[in-house]
């Protein structure tokens, strides 16, 4: 395209007046290019700004509280014995800032949600890409995208008023609002994400592979399970990683349905408190500039770092897959 | 023997395919039931008064008009901020930038921005927009505490950053689908690069940009976590509007320095923190139904737009 541009400039009228126009046009074009370049950097600039402002506030927590205090607190009892506790009690007289219960709470909701979503999401992706009638698919794929657009507060609300009672009658959990209810809610959000991305990954496999497999006498399921899925393995795993990232970062569903008690437990039927819900519930009441305030920003750093790394891994996998598939 | 094995494998295969089919349709049925439940419970409380009235009696009666108004106001300003920035960003990436390490970093950061948890955007809005920009403006302009507190403009700005990747990706797809021959034809007629973009590329990409805008509105209207501490209010007696007077003529405009009510936040607060959650249940279902209908209508419009756009380009 640049050659064409140069050609345009060289062929302009070569009078004195023409030269002035040429110079003006050239300045104008380069100014416009400069303007778009600045705008083009927007996403990068915002990522850097998010990074800076999270760390700016969050690192003060390290100065005031210390890294080890985010893991455990040593309490000295009345009789002089010391015990190590893992508790999140930022508002008590001797505040305890252990992130362990919050991280465990996040995992206890996100991991089951990702497992459920992987089973349903990958199956739905396979159905859309390989099994469904192409005419149906034109209607069903947008339907799944439509479900992906349901606001998370709506899912949280449904889990709170209907889901919790339903599972309470069915399973009689220890707490009415618990990690299980929250992870079912999370699945409703993540399944469409995984399904949609899995469908993309399977769809990008060249048709020749399917034809070759059928030509060798394989049945439809053999083609899917032995040819298509292995070929799209990286794309499918990227979709699962992205789904896991969504599950960790989701706020409203866990805030409304997980019960918000900072238990250290592996029992999925107990209330838990996630990192996101802690920020959402406590940021409104905390006084700016307090240790508690900075520690909430520190949780933000942890969340940002985890999801950033997960996204980066998924991105690398997808890029690698694209390169491979173009050959 | 061979025949037998083949039949057996087919049997396993068809069972597996049925399994996949059943999984898919049970998912669709579950989601349809969920939405059906909201419609069934919420349709009773929907009326013209519900849409157009203020909440009454400590939010236990009345309508949700301020919440709808606040949602429209916030998303409107959000779009005004996000769309120009996103479109220009996409134009740079598709029209000006060459494929280099640097542009790959930008593309990666677009995808990464889309994956950051929404609550982190809330922290960012608080730390950057309110405390850094807002307080900075207060110090420079000596306005006391006017900008450095939660307000509609900061919520819109934060949501604008959140939906920026949606706008950029949609616009990129639209720009990318404009055939290279059209650009070459424009250059051949002597047009400069900017003239080509303005007169040839952008008009063809318009439906794609519109799709991105609609998707961004629907995403922004459904977000709750980022605006929790950026100015969303439990209840406000007045709408966030102010009269802009030029001489004797006054027109009401959205006041970006005020707090606001928000439909998604309204659902959250009624369900978890109101004085009587059981009594307000019809209002909660009604608000949820309004929000669902709003986002579905926007998304369906976007899907139809994209479908027609792709079909027109012969890519379907």
């Amino acid at each position: 395209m640049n050659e064409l541009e140069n050609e345009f400039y060289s062929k302009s009228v070569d009078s004195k007046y023409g030269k002035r126009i040429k110079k003006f046009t050239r300045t104008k074009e380069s100014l416009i290019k400069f303007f778009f370049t600045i705008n083009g950097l927007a996403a990068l600039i915002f990522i850097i700004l998010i990074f800076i402002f999270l760390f700016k506030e969050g690192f003060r927590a390290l100065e005031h509280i210390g890294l080890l205090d985010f893991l455990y607190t040593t309490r000295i009892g009345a009789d002089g014995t010391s015990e190590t506790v893992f508790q999140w009690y930022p508002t008590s007289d001797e505040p305890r800032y252990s992130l362990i219960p919050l991280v465990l709470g996040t995992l206890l909701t996100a991991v089951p949600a990702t497992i459920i979503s992987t089973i349903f999401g990958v199956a739905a992706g396979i159905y859309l890409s390989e099994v469904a009638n192409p005419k149906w698919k034109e209607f069903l794929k947008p339907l799944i995208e439509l479900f992906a657009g349901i606001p998370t507060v709506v899912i949280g609300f449904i889990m709170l008023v209907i889901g919790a009672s339903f599972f309470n009658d069915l399973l009689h959990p220890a707490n009415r609002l618990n990690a299980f209810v929250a992870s079912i809610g999370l699945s409703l959000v993540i399944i469409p994400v995984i399904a949609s991305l899995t469908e993309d990954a399977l769809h990008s496999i060249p048709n020749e592979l399917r034809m070759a497999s059928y030509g060798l006498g394989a049945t439809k399921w053999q083609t899917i399970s032995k040819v298509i899925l292995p070929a799209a393995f990286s794309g499918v795993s990227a979709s699962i990683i992205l789904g896991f990232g969504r599950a960790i970062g989701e706020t409203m569903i866990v805030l409304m349905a997980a019960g918000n008690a900072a238990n250290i437990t592996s029992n999925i039927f107990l209330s838990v408190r996630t990192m996101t819900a802690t920020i959402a519930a406590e940021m409104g009441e905390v006084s700016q500039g307090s240790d508690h305030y900075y520690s909430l920003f520190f949780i933000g750093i942890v969340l940002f770092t985890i999801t950033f790394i997960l996204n980066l891994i998924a991105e690398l996998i997808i890029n690698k897959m694209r390169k491979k598939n173009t050959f | 023997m061979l025949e037998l094995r083949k039949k057996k494998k087919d049997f396993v295969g068809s069972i597996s395919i049925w399994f996949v089919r059943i999984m898919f349709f049970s998912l669709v049925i579950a989601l349809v039931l969920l939405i059906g439940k909201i419609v069934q419970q919420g349709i009773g409380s929907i009326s013209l008064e519900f849409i157009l009235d203020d909440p009454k009696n400590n939010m236990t009666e009345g309508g949700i008009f301020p919440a709808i108004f606040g949602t429209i106001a916030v998303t409107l300003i959000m779009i005004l901020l996000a769309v120009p920035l996103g479109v220009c960003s996409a134009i740079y990436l598709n029209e000006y930038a060459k494929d280099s390490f640097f542009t790959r970093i930008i593309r990666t950061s677009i995808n990464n921005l889309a994956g950051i948890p929404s609550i982190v955007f809330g922290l960012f809005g608080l730390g950057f927009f309110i405390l850094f920009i807002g307080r900075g403006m207060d110090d420079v302009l000596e306005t006391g505490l006017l900008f450095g507190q939660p307000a509609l403009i900061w919520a819109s700005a934060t949501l604008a950053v959140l939906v920026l990747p949606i706008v950029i990706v949609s616009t990129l797809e639209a720009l990318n689908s404009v055939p290279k021959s059209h650009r070459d034809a424009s250059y051949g007629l002597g047009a400069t690069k900017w003239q080509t973009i303005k007169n040839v590329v952008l008009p063809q990409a318009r439906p794609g940009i519109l799709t991105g805008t609609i998707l961004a509105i629907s995403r922004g209207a459904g977000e709750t976590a980022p605006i929790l501490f950026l100015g969303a209010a439990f209840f406000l007696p007045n709408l966030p509007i102010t009269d802009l007077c030029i001489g004797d003529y006054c027109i009401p405009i959205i006041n970006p320095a005020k707090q606001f009510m928000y439909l998604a936040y309204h659902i959250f607060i009624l369900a978890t923190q109101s004085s009587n959650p059981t009594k307000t249940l019809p209002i909660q279902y009604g608000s949820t139904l309004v929000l669902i209908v709003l986002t579905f209508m926007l998304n369906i419009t976007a899907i139809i737009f994209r479908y027609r756009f792709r079909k027109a380009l012969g890519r379907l």
Side-chain angles (χ1 to χ4, degrees):
Chain A
M1 240 159 271
N2 268 328
E3 300 95 65
L4 280 165
E5 261 173 71
N6 290 336
E7 211 177 325
F8 164 74
Y9 290 128
S10 63
K11 276 184 185 164
S12 312
V13 196
D14 221 12
S15 67
K16 208 174 183 185
Y17 184 60
K19 261 181 190 165
R20 206 176 289 165
I21 291 182
K22 213 162 85 179
K23 200 177 173 192
F24 173 74
T25 318
R26 223 174 243 176
T27 324
K28 193 182 152 200
E29 286 289 315
S30 58
L31 276 178
I32 288 170
K33 185 179 178 184
F34 180 72
F35 171 76
F36 281 121
T37 312
I38 296 291
N39 280 289
L41 299 177
L44 183 62
I45 291 173
F46 278 121
I47 286 264
I48 295 171
L49 281 176
I50 290 173
F51 185 81
I52 292 174
F53 279 88
L54 277 185
F55 277 75
K56 181 175 156 264
E57 305 280 320
F59 263 137
R60 290 201 200 147
L62 287 184
E63 285 169 28
H64 293 244
I65 302 164
L67 192 58
L68 280 183
D69 287 310
F70 278 118
L71 293 177
Y72 61 86
T73 323
T74 310
R75 295 181 82 186
I76 296 164
D79 51 348
T81 53
S82 64
E83 57 165 343
T84 308
V85 289
F86 303 96
Q87 284 169 328
W88 173 262
Y89 273 125
T91 47
S92 84
D93 291 336
E94 38 170 326
R96 278 149 278 163
Y97 292 103
S98 173
L99 296 187
I100 303 285
L102 308 183
V103 173
L104 286 178
T106 299
L107 290 179
L108 202 62
T109 51
V111 171
T114 312
I115 293 170
I116 299 169
S117 308
T118 301
I119 297 167
F120 276 90
V122 174
I126 292 173
Y127 176 78
L128 278 176
S129 174
E130 306 297 322
V131 181
N133 183 329
K135 266 188 190 160
W136 283 47
K137 190 190 153 184
E138 258 176 53
F139 166 75
L140 290 173
K141 176 122 205 240
L143 190 70
I144 291 294
E145 279 166 11
L146 200 61
F147 287 137
I150 298 178
T152 53
V153 69
V154 172
I155 306 275
F157 170 69
I158 289 298
M159 291 324 285
L160 183 68
V161 295
I162 303 171
S165 308
F166 177 75
F167 289 114
N168 198 24
D169 296 342
L170 195 70
L171 302 163
H172 304 290
N175 297 111
R176 192 173 162 273
L177 294 176
N178 54 50
F180 178 73
V181 176
S183 59
I184 295 289
L186 285 176
S187 312
L188 289 177
V189 177
I190 302 159
I191 291 169
V193 174
I194 294 186
S196 189
L197 290 168
T198 301
E199 199 275 335
D200 287 342
L202 298 179
H203 193 73
S204 73
I205 302 297
N207 226 5
E208 284 84 354
L209 274 168
R210 290 184 190 91
M211 293 306 137
S213 170
Y214 290 140
L216 289 170
T219 62
K220 183 144 204 160
W221 181 251
Q222 284 168 337
T223 308
I224 294 171
S225 63
K226 303 252 165 69
V227 179
I228 306 295
L229 272 183
F233 179 76
S234 48
V236 175
S237 48
S239 79
I240 296 168
I241 293 172
L242 284 176
F244 185 54
R246 274 292 297 272
I248 287 179
E250 184 47 57
T251 311
M252 298 318 290
I253 294 170
V254 288
L255 182 62
M256 293 169 90
N260 281 336
N263 288 324
I264 294 191
T265 174
S266 59
N267 183 351
I268 197 170
F269 294 109
L270 280 180
S271 290
V272 293
R273 174 165 216 156
T274 68
M275 293 190 278
T276 49
T278 307
I279 302 175
E282 294 176 11
M283 192 45 109
E285 286 135 30
V286 72
S287 65
Q288 269 164 29
S290 64
D291 285 357
H292 185 188
Y293 171 82
Y294 292 128
S295 66
L296 292 180
F297 270 91
F298 186 78
I299 300 176
I301 295 180
V302 176
L303 268 176
F304 177 79
T305 315
I306 294 173
T307 49
F308 193 84
I309 291 170
L310 286 174
N311 286 326
L312 220 53
I313 293 171
E315 172 101 7
L316 286 175
I317 293 175
I318 289 173
N319 278 348
K320 218 172 206 178
M321 183 186 79
R322 277 213 190 111
K323 262 183 204 156
K324 211 170 78 183
N325 280 358
T326 48
F327 282 109
Chain B
M1 188 65 196
L2 201 72
E3 280 296 300
L4 206 78
R5 200 197 290 163
K6 200 179 164 203
K7 262 186 186 161
K8 196 182 167 198
K9 270 185 185 167
D10 268 334
F11 180 65
V12 171
S14 60
I15 283 203
S16 310
I17 285 176
W18 269 106
F19 173 74
V20 165
R21 203 172 266 148
I22 288 165
M23 293 290 260
F24 180 83
F25 281 102
S26 60
L27 170 70
V28 171
I29 288 166
L31 287 164
V32 168
L33 279 179
L34 197 144
I35 288 158
K37 179 83 181 169
I38 298 172
V39 174
Q40 179 219 338
Q41 297 278 330
I43 199 88
S45 44
I46 300 280
S47 61
L48 205 59
E49 291 85 59
F50 183 70
I51 307 281
L52 295 177
D53 264 7
D54 286 352
K56 286 178 203 127
N57 269 345
N58 200 14
M59 313 259 283
T60 52
E61 289 165 32
I64 52 166
F65 180 69
I68 294 176
F69 181 85
T71 307
I72 293 171
V74 169
T75 46
L76 188 71
I77 296 178
M78 172 195 84
I79 282 303
L80 292 179
L81 295 170
V83 170
L85 187 61
V87 170
C88 292
S89 182
I91 289 176
Y92 169 73
L93 283 172
N94 202 61
E95 306 294 323
Y96 285 100
K98 297 177 186 72
D99 190 28
S100 65
F101 180 67
F102 181 64
T103 50
R104 244 173 291 153
I105 288 186
I106 294 182
R107 278 170 201 271
T108 308
S109 54
I110 293 168
N111 288 339
N112 252 305
L113 198 61
I116 293 176
S118 51
I119 190 78
V120 173
F121 280 100
L123 290 177
F124 169 68
L126 183 63
F128 179 67
F129 286 118
I130 296 182
L131 297 181
F132 184 71
I133 298 209
R135 292 275 158 87
M137 278 166 76
D138 283 342
D139 285 345
V140 173
L141 303 170
E142 293 176 345
T143 42
L145 194 66
L146 176 66
F147 297 107
Q149 56 186 345
L152 199 150
I153 181 72
W154 304 135
S156 299
T158 308
L159 288 178
V161 181
L162 192 144
V163 300
L164 190 63
I166 299 174
V167 179
I168 296 180
V169 169
S170 301
T171 312
L172 267 178
E173 194 201 344
L175 294 175
N176 207 9
S177 64
V178 177
K180 190 175 176 292
S181 56
H182 291 204
R183 292 189 184 85
D184 289 347
S186 171
Y187 290 133
L189 288 170
T192 63
K193 188 148 206 166
W194 168 235
Q195 285 168 335
T196 305
I197 293 171
K198 190 177 64 177
N199 299 323
V200 178
V201 179
L202 278 182
Q204 291 195 53
R206 202 180 290 145
I209 297 171
L210 205 59
T211 309
T213 309
I214 296 168
L215 286 175
I217 296 174
S218 124
R219 175 79 198 274
E223 280 295 339
T224 321
I227 57 147
L228 283 176
F229 24 86
L230 295 180
F234 183 64
F235 174 71
L236 291 170
N238 299 314
L239 294 175
I241 48 176
T242 187
D243 280 338
L244 183 74
C245 292
I246 304 160
D248 287 341
Y249 294 99
C250 287
I251 43 162
I253 58 156
I254 297 163
N255 186 348
K258 286 240 174 91
Q259 298 207 342
F260 54 92
M261 286 174 75
Y262 208 70
L263 197 50
Y265 183 69
H266 193 68
I267 296 168
F268 165 66
I269 213 84
L270 280 184
T272 58
Q273 283 161 44
S274 79
S275 50
N276 193 342
T278 334
K279 198 182 166 195
T280 59
L281 206 57
I283 299 183
Q284 294 170 35
Y285 273 113
S287 314
T288 311
L289 183 58
V290 171
L291 184 63
I292 284 258
V293 168
L294 183 77
T295 50
F296 272 25
M297 272 180 0
L298 287 167
N299 281 332
I300 289 170
T301 317
I303 287 168
I304 291 172
F305 249 91
R306 195 170 47 193
Y307 178 77
R308 287 208 177 148
F309 181 57
R310 282 184 184 163
K311 208 170 188 180
L313 286 160
R315 288 181 64 214
L316 222 138

